[in-house]
């Protein structure tokens, strides 16, 4: 993979928002492109636990119809996200990075997941995590360790535990990732993969529907390419 350090505007939240508003990009085409990149690169990178192609395209079509009618829900409308596989989404499997939970189907959707979709965000699928979100290197011997995309020759650790979310964003497989942070699980993979990640004040954001690690410091948090991207997600989606 040829990796550039110059940001493509159509891989950032602000760039996509602007392109949607001026009509130079459409959610269906953007989502198709992300799904194509996932199909091309993820067999090597291993960022995703599940890819929801049909579901993502249905959401993209709905966003496009809304935009064509002059209705915009905000700056994350039509933006493709990757969601860490400890967030419940109803009727889908939440493995929490454990082979023992491969058949664990969620009966509810986390508040954060609901807020993402209500804001028009397009969830591309679930991303890999350290088993039960416990570990800072990003390694998972049972379910696979995502490859840090900044070195495609040597398999370097991506940081954890929100490893897959960071790898997805850093390699252009998602415009933003949503992970969780107890003791560094958003901040570490963001730093390892050259991104921006935020841990908010504990208790500021709802954690219902997210696998608990430690109920006191657990927080959901975004991973994006820019500070503006992270701020946008916090302000318009998960707050």
């Amino acid at each position: 993979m040829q990796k550039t350090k110059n940001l493509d505007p159509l891989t950032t939240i602000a760039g996509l928002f602007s392109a949607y508003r001026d009509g130079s990009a459409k959610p269906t085409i953007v989502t198709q492109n992300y799904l194509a990149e996932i199909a091309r690169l993820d067999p090597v990178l291993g960022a995703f636990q599940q890819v929801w192609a049909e579901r993502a395209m249905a959401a993209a079509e709905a966003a496009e119809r809304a935009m064509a009618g002059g209705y915009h829900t905000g700056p994350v409308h039509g933006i493709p996200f990757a969601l860490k596989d400890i967030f419940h989404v109803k009727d889908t499997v939440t493995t929490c990075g454990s082979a023992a939970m491969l058949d664990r189907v969620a009966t509810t959707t986390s508040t954060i997941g609901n807020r993402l979709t209500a804001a028009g965000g397009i969830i591309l699928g679930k991303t890999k995590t350290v088993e039960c979100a416990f570990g800072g290197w990003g390694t998972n011997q049972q379910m696979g360790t995502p490859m840090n995309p900044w070195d495609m020759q040597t398999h370097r650790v991506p940081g954890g535990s929100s490893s897959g979310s960071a790898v997805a964003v850093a390699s252009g497989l998602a415009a933003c990732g949503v992970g969780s942070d107890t003791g560094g699980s958003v901040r570490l993979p963001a730093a390892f993969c050259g991104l921006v990640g935020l841990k908010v004040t504990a208790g500021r954001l709802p954690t219902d529907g997210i696998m608990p690690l430690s109920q006191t410091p657990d927080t959901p948090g975004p991973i994006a390419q820019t500070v503006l991207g992270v701020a946008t997600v916090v302000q318009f989606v998960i707050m």
Side-chain angles (χ1 to χ4, degrees), residues 7-30:
L7 288 181
D8 178 349
L10 290 184
T11 65
T12 67
I13 293 173
L16 283 169
F17 172 67
S18 178
Y20 288 156
R21 293 301 293 259
D22 66 23
S24 60
K26 294 183 181 298
T28 55
I29 301 301
V30 169

mmCIF file of all heavy atoms in Angstrom, residues 7-30:
data_model
loop_
_atom_site.group_PDB
_atom_site.id
_atom_site.type_symbol
_atom_site.label_atom_id
_atom_site.label_comp_id
_atom_site.label_asym_id
_atom_site.label_seq_id
_atom_site.Cartn_x
_atom_site.Cartn_y
_atom_site.Cartn_z
ATOM 1 N N LEU A 7 -3.154 14.704 3.630
ATOM 2 C CA LEU A 7 -4.539 14.292 3.801
ATOM 3 C C LEU A 7 -5.346 14.535 2.532
ATOM 4 O O LEU A 7 -5.308 15.612 1.941
ATOM 5 C CB LEU A 7 -5.172 15.069 4.958
ATOM 6 C CG LEU A 7 -4.731 14.703 6.367
ATOM 7 C CD1 LEU A 7 -5.479 15.564 7.375
ATOM 8 C CD2 LEU A 7 -4.966 13.238 6.663
ATOM 9 N N ASP A 8 -6.073 13.526 2.105
ATOM 10 C CA ASP A 8 -7.055 13.656 1.047
ATOM 11 C C ASP A 8 -8.321 14.210 1.692
ATOM 12 O O ASP A 8 -8.855 13.606 2.622
ATOM 13 C CB ASP A 8 -7.312 12.289 0.426
ATOM 14 C CG ASP A 8 -8.370 12.328 -0.671
ATOM 15 O OD1 ASP A 8 -9.054 13.358 -0.814
ATOM 16 O OD2 ASP A 8 -8.500 11.315 -1.387
ATOM 17 N N PRO A 9 -8.829 15.358 1.212
ATOM 18 C CA PRO A 9 -10.021 15.926 1.848
ATOM 19 C C PRO A 9 -11.196 14.957 1.911
ATOM 20 O O PRO A 9 -12.011 15.026 2.828
ATOM 21 C CB PRO A 9 -10.350 17.134 0.957
ATOM 22 C CG PRO A 9 -9.045 17.508 0.343
ATOM 23 C CD PRO A 9 -8.312 16.210 0.144
ATOM 24 N N LEU A 10 -11.286 14.051 0.940
ATOM 25 C CA LEU A 10 -12.407 13.122 0.928
ATOM 26 C C LEU A 10 -12.195 11.924 1.840
ATOM 27 O O LEU A 10 -12.937 10.948 1.781
ATOM 28 C CB LEU A 10 -12.708 12.672 -0.501
ATOM 29 C CG LEU A 10 -13.295 13.758 -1.398
ATOM 30 C CD1 LEU A 10 -13.642 13.188 -2.756
ATOM 31 C CD2 LEU A 10 -14.525 14.414 -0.768
ATOM 32 N N THR A 11 -11.172 11.986 2.679
ATOM 33 C CA THR A 11 -11.034 10.978 3.729
ATOM 34 C C THR A 11 -11.196 11.606 5.111
ATOM 35 O O THR A 11 -11.020 10.926 6.117
ATOM 36 C CB THR A 11 -9.671 10.270 3.662
ATOM 37 O OG1 THR A 11 -8.624 11.220 3.937
ATOM 38 C CG2 THR A 11 -9.439 9.632 2.311
ATOM 39 N N THR A 12 -11.525 12.891 5.162
ATOM 40 C CA THR A 12 -11.742 13.560 6.440
ATOM 41 C C THR A 12 -13.215 13.926 6.582
ATOM 42 O O THR A 12 -13.932 14.101 5.595
ATOM 43 C CB THR A 12 -10.902 14.851 6.566
ATOM 44 O OG1 THR A 12 -11.379 15.814 5.614
ATOM 45 C CG2 THR A 12 -9.427 14.564 6.319
ATOM 46 N N ILE A 13 -13.663 14.060 7.811
ATOM 47 C CA ILE A 13 -15.056 14.402 8.056
ATOM 48 C C ILE A 13 -15.388 15.778 7.479
ATOM 49 O O ILE A 13 -16.407 15.959 6.800
ATOM 50 C CB ILE A 13 -15.357 14.350 9.559
ATOM 51 C CG1 ILE A 13 -15.260 12.903 10.057
ATOM 52 C CG2 ILE A 13 -16.734 14.928 9.875
ATOM 53 C CD1 ILE A 13 -15.364 12.742 11.548
ATOM 54 N N ALA A 14 -14.521 16.752 7.713
ATOM 55 C CA ALA A 14 -14.782 18.099 7.213
ATOM 56 C C ALA A 14 -14.795 18.126 5.690
ATOM 57 O O ALA A 14 -15.626 18.807 5.073
ATOM 58 C CB ALA A 14 -13.727 19.063 7.757
ATOM 59 N N GLY A 15 -13.867 17.388 5.075
ATOM 60 C CA GLY A 15 -13.809 17.368 3.615
ATOM 61 C C GLY A 15 -15.036 16.733 2.996
ATOM 62 O O GLY A 15 -15.582 17.232 1.999
ATOM 63 N N LEU A 16 -15.487 15.624 3.596
ATOM 64 C CA LEU A 16 -16.687 14.973 3.079
ATOM 65 C C LEU A 16 -17.928 15.840 3.288
ATOM 66 O O LEU A 16 -18.785 15.933 2.404
ATOM 67 C CB LEU A 16 -16.873 13.617 3.765
ATOM 68 C CG LEU A 16 -15.953 12.499 3.265
ATOM 69 C CD1 LEU A 16 -16.039 11.289 4.198
ATOM 70 C CD2 LEU A 16 -16.307 12.096 1.843
ATOM 71 N N PHE A 17 -18.022 16.467 4.442
ATOM 72 C CA PHE A 17 -19.161 17.350 4.714
ATOM 73 C C PHE A 17 -19.243 18.447 3.658
ATOM 74 O O PHE A 17 -20.311 18.722 3.095
ATOM 75 C CB PHE A 17 -19.027 17.949 6.108
ATOM 76 C CG PHE A 17 -20.049 19.008 6.423
ATOM 77 C CD1 PHE A 17 -21.391 18.678 6.543
ATOM 78 C CD2 PHE A 17 -19.668 20.325 6.609
ATOM 79 C CE1 PHE A 17 -22.336 19.651 6.845
ATOM 80 C CE2 PHE A 17 -20.605 21.302 6.901
ATOM 81 C CZ PHE A 17 -21.942 20.964 7.018
ATOM 82 N N SER A 18 -18.099 19.058 3.355
ATOM 83 C CA SER A 18 -18.071 20.125 2.352
ATOM 84 C C SER A 18 -18.445 19.595 0.970
ATOM 85 O O SER A 18 -19.206 20.232 0.229
ATOM 86 C CB SER A 18 -16.675 20.755 2.321
ATOM 87 O OG SER A 18 -16.600 21.765 1.329
ATOM 88 N N ALA A 19 -17.922 18.424 0.633
ATOM 89 C CA ALA A 19 -18.206 17.847 -0.687
ATOM 90 C C ALA A 19 -19.672 17.451 -0.828
ATOM 91 O O ALA A 19 -20.261 17.598 -1.904
ATOM 92 C CB ALA A 19 -17.302 16.635 -0.924
ATOM 93 N N TYR A 20 -20.267 16.971 0.237
ATOM 94 C CA TYR A 20 -21.698 16.647 0.184
ATOM 95 C C TYR A 20 -22.524 17.917 -0.003
ATOM 96 O O TYR A 20 -23.512 17.926 -0.744
ATOM 97 C CB TYR A 20 -22.141 15.946 1.469
ATOM 98 C CG TYR A 20 -21.644 14.520 1.628
ATOM 99 C CD1 TYR A 20 -21.532 13.940 2.892
ATOM 100 C CD2 TYR A 20 -21.296 13.740 0.529
ATOM 101 C CE1 TYR A 20 -21.103 12.627 3.059
ATOM 102 C CE2 TYR A 20 -20.853 12.436 0.682
ATOM 103 C CZ TYR A 20 -20.758 11.886 1.950
ATOM 104 O OH TYR A 20 -20.326 10.594 2.114
ATOM 105 N N ARG A 21 -22.130 18.972 0.664
ATOM 106 C CA ARG A 21 -22.905 20.205 0.587
ATOM 107 C C ARG A 21 -22.829 20.839 -0.797
ATOM 108 O O ARG A 21 -23.813 21.416 -1.270
ATOM 109 C CB ARG A 21 -22.423 21.211 1.650
ATOM 110 C CG ARG A 21 -22.687 20.812 3.092
ATOM 111 C CD ARG A 21 -24.161 20.595 3.362
ATOM 112 N NE ARG A 21 -24.940 21.823 3.282
ATOM 113 C CZ ARG A 21 -25.358 22.521 4.328
ATOM 114 N NH1 ARG A 21 -25.063 22.108 5.555
ATOM 115 N NH2 ARG A 21 -26.074 23.604 4.163
ATOM 116 N N ASP A 22 -21.667 20.749 -1.457
ATOM 117 C CA ASP A 22 -21.571 21.366 -2.786
ATOM 118 C C ASP A 22 -21.899 20.389 -3.916
ATOM 119 O O ASP A 22 -21.851 20.746 -5.097
ATOM 120 C CB ASP A 22 -20.203 22.018 -3.010
ATOM 121 C CG ASP A 22 -19.045 21.031 -3.068
ATOM 122 O OD1 ASP A 22 -19.269 19.839 -3.375
ATOM 123 O OD2 ASP A 22 -17.891 21.453 -2.834
ATOM 124 N N GLY A 23 -22.237 19.159 -3.563
ATOM 125 C CA GLY A 23 -22.668 18.187 -4.557
ATOM 126 C C GLY A 23 -21.560 17.492 -5.317
ATOM 127 O O GLY A 23 -21.831 16.733 -6.260
ATOM 128 N N SER A 24 -20.308 17.703 -4.914
ATOM 129 C CA SER A 24 -19.195 17.076 -5.627
ATOM 130 C C SER A 24 -18.942 15.642 -5.178
ATOM 131 O O SER A 24 -18.125 14.935 -5.774
ATOM 132 C CB SER A 24 -17.919 17.904 -5.460
ATOM 133 O OG SER A 24 -17.549 18.013 -4.094
ATOM 134 N N ALA A 25 -19.616 15.198 -4.120
ATOM 135 C CA ALA A 25 -19.530 13.805 -3.671
ATOM 136 C C ALA A 25 -20.908 13.356 -3.207
ATOM 137 O O ALA A 25 -21.741 14.179 -2.804
ATOM 138 C CB ALA A 25 -18.515 13.660 -2.539
ATOM 139 N N LYS A 26 -21.132 12.051 -3.291
ATOM 140 C CA LYS A 26 -22.401 11.484 -2.869
ATOM 141 C C LYS A 26 -22.134 10.337 -1.895
ATOM 142 O O LYS A 26 -21.179 9.573 -2.076
ATOM 143 C CB LYS A 26 -23.200 10.985 -4.071
ATOM 144 C CG LYS A 26 -23.640 12.097 -5.015
ATOM 145 C CD LYS A 26 -24.491 11.551 -6.139
ATOM 146 C CE LYS A 26 -24.912 12.655 -7.087
ATOM 147 N NZ LYS A 26 -25.741 13.677 -6.417
ATOM 148 N N PRO A 27 -22.972 10.185 -0.865
ATOM 149 C CA PRO A 27 -22.740 9.140 0.136
ATOM 150 C C PRO A 27 -22.635 7.734 -0.446
ATOM 151 O O PRO A 27 -21.848 6.923 0.032
ATOM 152 C CB PRO A 27 -23.952 9.271 1.066
ATOM 153 C CG PRO A 27 -24.354 10.697 0.955
ATOM 154 C CD PRO A 27 -24.107 11.065 -0.478
ATOM 155 N N THR A 28 -23.431 7.427 -1.484
ATOM 156 C CA THR A 28 -23.363 6.071 -2.038
ATOM 157 C C THR A 28 -22.012 5.796 -2.679
ATOM 158 O O THR A 28 -21.438 4.718 -2.498
ATOM 159 C CB THR A 28 -24.475 5.844 -3.077
ATOM 160 O OG1 THR A 28 -24.406 6.850 -4.093
ATOM 161 C CG2 THR A 28 -25.844 5.857 -2.422
ATOM 162 N N ILE A 29 -21.486 6.764 -3.415
ATOM 163 C CA ILE A 29 -20.191 6.569 -4.072
ATOM 164 C C ILE A 29 -19.078 6.507 -3.033
ATOM 165 O O ILE A 29 -18.179 5.656 -3.110
ATOM 166 C CB ILE A 29 -19.911 7.700 -5.077
ATOM 167 C CG1 ILE A 29 -21.015 7.755 -6.130
ATOM 168 C CG2 ILE A 29 -18.545 7.509 -5.735
ATOM 169 C CD1 ILE A 29 -21.189 6.472 -6.920
ATOM 170 N N VAL A 30 -19.133 7.392 -2.043
ATOM 171 C CA VAL A 30 -18.118 7.396 -0.987
ATOM 172 C C VAL A 30 -18.128 6.066 -0.233
ATOM 173 O O VAL A 30 -17.083 5.458 0.012
ATOM 174 C CB VAL A 30 -18.354 8.580 -0.024
ATOM 175 C CG1 VAL A 30 -17.492 8.441 1.229
ATOM 176 C CG2 VAL A 30 -18.062 9.900 -0.726
#
